[in-house]
């Protein structure tokens, strides 16, 4: 599973490195917020993963999006913003409200919203980023997750598998 830690690291580099011409200055607390989001996702575990082994699925996270080569540093903020928006949408549904502790779900939503606000300060030119491919890949990835939840009738195990998937992708 592709991990987003390199992407988050690139985000910090973008805010203070040679990509400053893109006017992307992330607050110092960006990595702290991402760590807090990960912790909340971990706290949300309700079902033992062992009980849900039969429900596991490969959602095919688009790995090519987190390749953080020099040429892709400028794209990192945009891709991360798309990922956070999709995560926020997923955990902001009525079905999610039924599945998770209201307090933890609100904590997660708040963390994601804060990160999105931090990223909204980045004024990156869309033409430079060519985000159409990554945007489509992310929408498809989250669509596969939504279809899986529907197929499994939003069961506790289905939500646990999705929580694990999002945690892996986010960690």
């Amino acid at each position: 599973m592709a991990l987003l830690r390199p992407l988050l690291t690139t985000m910090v580099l973008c805010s203070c490195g040679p990509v400053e011409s893109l006017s992307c200055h992330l607050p110092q607390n960006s990595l702290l917020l991402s760590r807090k989001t990960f912790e909340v996702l971990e706290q949300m575990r309700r079902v033992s993963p062992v009980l849900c082994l039969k429900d596991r699925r490969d959602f095919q996270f688009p790995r090519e999006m987190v390749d953080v080569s020099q040429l892709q540093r400028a794209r990192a903020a945009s891709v991360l913003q798309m990922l956070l928006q999709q995560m926020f949408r997923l955990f902001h549904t009525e079905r999610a409200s039924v599945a998770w502790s209201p307090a933890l779900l609100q904590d997660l939503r708040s963390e994601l919203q804060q990160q999105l606000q931090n990223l909204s300060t980045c004024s990156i030119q869309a033409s430079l980023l060519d985000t159409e491919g990554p945007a489509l890949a992310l929408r498809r990835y989250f669509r596969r997750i939504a279809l899986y939840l529907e197929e499994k009738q939003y069961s506790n195990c289905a939500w646990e598998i999705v929580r694990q998937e999002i945690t892996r992708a986010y960690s």
Side-chain angles (χ1 to χ4, degrees):
M1 180 54 56
L3 301 178
L4 288 179
R5 186 162 306 226
L7 184 60
L8 292 170
T9 303
T10 299
M11 294 294 301
V12 172
L13 292 173
C14 285
S15 67
C16 58
V19 195
E20 289 200 39
S21 61
L22 295 175
S23 301
C24 184
H25 302 284
L26 294 175
Q28 292 293 336
N29 65 349
S30 291
L31 285 177
L32 181 61
L33 282 170
S34 65
R35 208 171 301 136
K36 175 72 172 144
T37 302
F38 177 74
E39 290 169 5
V40 173
L41 281 166
E42 285 296 316
Q43 291 171 8
M44 289 174 71
R45 183 185 324 170
R46 291 183 13 176
V47 178
S48 171
V50 175
L51 297 175
C52 301
L53 289 176
K54 67 180 181 355
D55 293 316
R56 289 181 60 196
R57 173 101 27 110
D58 179 9
F59 296 102
Q60 301 169 1
F61 183 82
R63 298 170 194 251
E64 66 280 357
M65 288 181 8
V66 293
D67 179 10
V68 290
S69 67
Q70 287 290 99
L71 296 175
Q72 293 179 330
R73 279 187 178 183
R75 194 166 89 175
S78 181
V79 171
L80 181 59
Q81 187 172 20
M82 286 184 278
L83 177 71
L84 292 171
Q85 287 169 341
Q86 292 293 328
M87 287 173 60
F88 186 81
R89 283 187 190 117
L90 178 67
F91 288 105
H92 208 276
T93 64
E94 185 178 324
R95 300 280 186 166
S97 297
V98 172
W100 305 109
S101 152
L104 286 175
L105 194 55
Q106 183 55 43
D107 285 350
L108 179 63
R109 290 172 181 166
S110 294
E111 294 299 323
L112 292 171
Q113 190 166 18
Q114 182 63 48
Q115 289 180 68
L116 283 167
Q117 286 173 348
N118 287 351
L119 286 171
S120 71
T121 63
C122 297
S123 58
I124 299 174
Q125 300 172 2
S127 60
L128 175 64
L129 298 179
D130 185 32
T131 57
E132 189 173 301
L136 183 59
L138 267 177
R139 281 194 302 273
R140 286 179 177 163
Y141 170 72
F142 277 93
R143 181 70 183 141
R144 286 189 293 272
I145 289 173
L147 289 172
Y148 167 80
L149 285 167
E150 188 177 320
E151 172 189 315
K152 295 292 184 174
Q153 299 177 351
Y154 303 91
S155 70
N156 287 339
C157 271
W159 275 112
E160 177 57 24
I161 295 299
V162 167
R163 186 201 63 80
Q164 289 176 12
E165 172 74 16
I166 297 297
T167 301
R168 267 194 304 274
Y170 191 79
S171 68

